[in-house]
Amino acid sequence: MPKLTNLVQIINSISKFNWEKVYISTWALEKSEINFELTLKITYENRPSRASQQVQSWDIIFAKMQWTDKTLIIDDETQQFIYSSWFFVLRPNKEVYNKYLYFFLKSK
């Protein structure tokens, strides 16, 4: 059985951006849905220090807190947002079907 760390890349990065972006905190992700009433619009200069995760389509994020169900497959729309450092960002390699990984992470 291969190790998960051999099948995914753990992403932790942010690049400077020049426009306003939507910031998704762990509070704003409810199960697998973003509650946009709990999001913030930020710029690079005024972002909270924990607003430090940029993602790509097909990445999977999940909250680092125990006993929570906050998991999301990133798509073309949600890749434009900035995410909290309280999320793990996993980028599956070509051998892993991201929906399988998504359901695996949601399982108990």
mmCIF file of all heavy atoms in Angstrom, residues 3 8 63 65 89 100:
data_model
loop_
_atom_site.group_PDB
_atom_site.id
_atom_site.type_symbol
_atom_site.label_atom_id
_atom_site.label_comp_id
_atom_site.label_asym_id
_atom_site.label_seq_id
_atom_site.Cartn_x
_atom_site.Cartn_y
_atom_site.Cartn_z
ATOM 1 N N LYS A 3 2.174 5.078 0.497
ATOM 2 C CA LYS A 3 1.907 6.126 1.478
ATOM 3 C C LYS A 3 1.218 7.299 0.792
ATOM 4 O O LYS A 3 1.517 7.618 -0.369
ATOM 5 C CB LYS A 3 3.206 6.624 2.095
ATOM 6 C CG LYS A 3 3.856 5.663 3.027
ATOM 7 C CD LYS A 3 5.086 6.328 3.629
ATOM 8 C CE LYS A 3 5.722 5.441 4.652
ATOM 9 N NZ LYS A 3 6.857 6.109 5.294
ATOM 10 N N VAL A 8 0.538 12.500 -3.188
ATOM 11 C CA VAL A 8 0.104 13.898 -3.222
ATOM 12 C C VAL A 8 1.274 14.812 -2.880
ATOM 13 O O VAL A 8 2.235 14.393 -2.242
ATOM 14 C CB VAL A 8 -1.055 14.185 -2.231
ATOM 15 C CG1 VAL A 8 -2.269 13.355 -2.541
ATOM 16 C CG2 VAL A 8 -0.618 13.995 -0.798
ATOM 17 N N ALA A 63 -9.723 20.959 6.516
ATOM 18 C CA ALA A 63 -9.355 21.670 7.741
ATOM 19 C C ALA A 63 -8.423 20.818 8.588
ATOM 20 O O ALA A 63 -8.564 19.597 8.677
ATOM 21 C CB ALA A 63 -10.603 22.036 8.530
ATOM 22 N N MET A 65 -8.228 21.054 11.796
ATOM 23 C CA MET A 65 -8.833 20.792 13.103
ATOM 24 C C MET A 65 -9.414 19.378 13.145
ATOM 25 O O MET A 65 -10.001 18.921 12.180
ATOM 26 C CB MET A 65 -9.951 21.792 13.397
ATOM 27 C CG MET A 65 -9.479 23.215 13.529
ATOM 28 S SD MET A 65 -9.852 24.219 12.087
ATOM 29 C CE MET A 65 -11.567 24.057 11.861
ATOM 30 N N VAL A 89 -3.571 21.740 1.982
ATOM 31 C CA VAL A 89 -3.824 21.751 0.538
ATOM 32 C C VAL A 89 -3.054 20.576 -0.061
ATOM 33 O O VAL A 89 -1.833 20.513 0.044
ATOM 34 C CB VAL A 89 -3.360 23.069 -0.120
ATOM 35 C CG1 VAL A 89 -3.630 23.030 -1.617
ATOM 36 C CG2 VAL A 89 -4.040 24.272 0.525
ATOM 37 N N TYR A 100 -11.747 10.265 -5.304
ATOM 38 C CA TYR A 100 -11.466 9.176 -4.366
ATOM 39 C C TYR A 100 -10.781 9.737 -3.122
ATOM 40 O O TYR A 100 -11.152 9.427 -1.991
ATOM 41 C CB TYR A 100 -10.591 8.104 -5.020
ATOM 42 C CG TYR A 100 -10.206 7.009 -4.071
ATOM 43 C CD1 TYR A 100 -11.061 5.938 -3.841
ATOM 44 C CD2 TYR A 100 -9.008 7.059 -3.363
ATOM 45 C CE1 TYR A 100 -10.732 4.938 -2.939
ATOM 46 C CE2 TYR A 100 -8.665 6.071 -2.465
ATOM 47 C CZ TYR A 100 -9.529 5.013 -2.257
ATOM 48 O OH TYR A 100 -9.205 4.036 -1.358
#
